[in-house]
Amino acid sequence: MVGVGWFLTIIIGILAGWIAERVMSRSHGLITNLIVGLIGSVIGKFLLENVFTSSPLGSGFVPSLIISTIGAIVLLFIVGLIWRK
């Protein structure tokens, strides 16, 4: 998450986790949303770097939120596949 500080990183993680849980029809708590959002940001950044040579979204709050949310959705999807088996 380039261009944001620690406080905004936590806020982005919580928001990304919350958005991902709504998209994936899940129900988690605040701490779980934070963890999902922060791990999602790593996944989203990894996916973005492997698809594009440079970030098409730029840096800052909104691009970081979008990338984190996409990564969090991917994370919840993968976890859902694992837990169903």
Side-chain angles (χ1 to χ4, degrees), residues 13-59:
I14 292 170
L15 286 173
W18 181 78
I19 293 169
E21 85 171 350
R22 295 293 173 228
V23 169
M24 299 299 290
S25 299
R26 308 281 170 86
S27 179
H28 303 123
L30 183 67
I31 301 299
T32 304
N33 285 341
L34 173 61
I35 294 168
V36 167
L38 292 177
I39 295 172
S41 69
V42 173
I43 294 171
K45 184 177 183 226
F46 175 78
L47 292 174
L48 185 70
E49 287 176 348
N50 288 313
V51 173
F52 301 101
T53 56
S54 64
S55 176
L57 300 174
S59 63

Side-chain angles (χ1 to χ4, degrees), residues 1 3 6-7 11 16 19-20 24 26 28 32 39 48 64 66 72 74 76-77 79 83 85:
M1 289 192 230
W6 286 102
F7 181 73
I11 299 299
I19 293 169
M24 299 299 290
R26 308 281 170 86
H28 303 123
T32 304
I39 295 172
L48 185 70
S64 294
I66 293 169
V74 169
L76 289 179
F77 177 76
V79 168
W83 281 105
K85 289 185 177 188

